[in-house]
Amino acid sequence: PVHPVTEGDTLTLHCLYQHTTPPNLRADFYKDESLIQSQTTEMIISTVSKSHEGFYYCKHTERGESPKSWISVT
């Protein structure tokens, strides 16, 4: 997200790939280089806390790694 996420909110992250039908594929989600969820199309954090702050990205075995996105929590 461009703006900070508020503590207590729900955050949904999607891994989308261009030129793919369907546009969302199963991928692994990472936070600060650590695998946090495998083989899914989205990741949901139901109650965001300050501990969720960090760099997130997804990786697909054939499509590669997405750019890292900083999640800021206020």
Side-chain angles (χ1 to χ4, degrees), residues 13-17 23-29 40-43 57-60 64 66:
L13 302 175
H14 295 272
C15 197
L16 305 173
Y17 294 92
N24 49 345
L25 299 173
R26 293 192 176 277
D28 298 334
F29 283 82
T40 186
T41 57
E42 67 180 19
M43 188 182 82
Y57 64 98
C58 57
K59 187 188 299 186
H60 185 268
S66 73

Side-chain angles (χ1 to χ4, degrees), residues 5-11 13 30-32 36 43-56 69-74:
V5 178
T6 303
E7 277 192 287
D9 282 356
T10 298
L11 175 65
L13 302 175
Y30 291 79
K31 177 189 179 242
D32 298 327
I36 53 175
M43 188 182 82
I44 299 171
I45 301 171
S46 58
T47 307
V48 174
S49 69
K50 197 72 170 165
S51 67
H52 291 109
E53 199 166 72
F55 282 101
Y56 288 81
S69 295
W70 174 257
I71 303 297
S72 176
V73 180
T74 57

